[in-house]
Amino acid sequence: MDSNAFSFSSNVFGLVVGSISVIVLVFGFCRSQLPSNKIKVLEELLDETQALFSSYAEEGYLPEERVKADFETRLARLRDKTFDLRSQVYMATTFVQDYTGFIAGLSISIGRVCWQVKLLRADVISKSEIERLGRRDNALLLRQLPFCEIGLPQPLSHQADAILHPRETNLDPFVDSTNNIQATVSGANVGTIVTV
């Protein structure tokens, strides 16, 4: 009988501890989802997106005016929504009013705007990355093209070799070029002797 009483009391103790743990977990989750906490996340996201857009526009990675105007319009609309939601959140001065806003769906509205800001941020990054990678690929292509294909003059060393040694451009690397020069000079001397 003692073992039954012990097992019953241990089961009750486990049930109480488990219930308290679940309540604390739910309470912590709800607290993180309160409008007063979610509005801070939204403001940080919006500021980060605005900074990204501004930096990419200044660096020229968003060259199309239509795309920039679209992003600016979307940012202004999201900033207006954030301002409206912020005023609703900051009207709640007590913990109970904050939970009332949570139950009324204010956190869900903030979550929707957060999602829209994340989509806008992804669009800004993807458009600018396409432009940046396109520029990088063009720069790499220009580096890999030979000089004559891109319309630039060839380096002087190639031209000088062709001008100074027009007959010797396809010489065998094992042939001694000094012998060919001596033969040419001695042949020229023979020719001069014959003509005199």
Side-chain angles (χ1 to χ4, degrees):
M1 221 153 147
D2 288 332
S3 64
N4 286 339
F6 177 73
S7 109
F8 176 74
S9 63
S10 64
N11 286 341
V12 169
F13 179 74
L15 185 63
V16 169
V17 170
S19 300
I20 291 172
S21 299
V22 169
I23 290 170
V24 167
L25 184 66
V26 169
F27 182 74
F29 174 75
C30 290
R31 188 173 176 95
S32 70
Q33 298 299 315
L34 287 176
S36 59
N37 291 328
K38 291 199 59 100
I39 196 72
K40 294 173 187 172
V41 173
L42 174 60
E43 289 172 342
E44 289 174 6
L45 275 172
L46 195 59
D47 290 342
E48 180 186 0
T49 303
Q50 178 69 50
L52 281 172
F53 170 73
S54 298
S55 68
Y56 286 142
E58 286 174 8
E59 292 172 7
Y61 290 135
L62 297 171
E64 297 179 26
E65 290 299 321
R66 181 184 55 81
V67 172
K68 278 200 288 193
D70 178 49
F71 286 153
E72 287 173 348
T73 304
R74 288 169 64 186
L75 268 170
R77 201 171 354 145
L78 290 170
R79 200 160 281 286
D80 289 342
K81 286 181 183 179
T82 303
F83 183 76
D84 292 340
L85 291 169
R86 184 187 314 138
S87 63
Q88 292 177 27
V89 168
Y90 290 158
M91 279 192 241
T93 56
T94 65
F95 192 65
V96 174
Q97 289 174 340
D98 207 11
Y99 265 102
T100 304
F102 172 71
I103 293 169
L106 188 56
S107 293
I108 293 173
S109 299
I110 295 171
R112 284 188 194 126
V113 177
C114 281
W115 178 250
Q116 291 171 356
V117 172
K118 286 178 182 178
L119 288 176
L120 176 62
R121 183 179 61 181
D123 288 346
V124 167
I125 290 172
S126 64
K127 292 280 185 188
S128 61
E129 283 298 306
I130 289 170
E131 180 69 22
R132 188 182 67 80
L133 291 175
R135 287 182 187 182
R136 189 191 71 184
D137 291 346
N138 286 341
L140 289 175
L141 182 64
L142 287 175
R143 282 189 213 147
Q144 292 175 354
L145 284 176
F147 287 105
C148 60
E149 289 185 23
I150 58 175
L152 297 176
Q154 291 185 357
L156 291 176
S157 62
H158 298 299
Q159 293 174 354
D161 289 341
I163 292 170
L164 295 176
H165 309 290
R167 286 185 245 156
E168 298 179 5
T169 55
N170 292 328
L171 285 178
D172 186 18
F174 298 105
V175 174
D176 185 13
S177 59
T178 56
N179 290 338
N180 289 337
I181 293 172
Q182 289 172 354
T184 306
V185 171
S186 63
N189 289 339
V190 170
T192 55
I193 292 172
V194 171
T195 55
V196 174

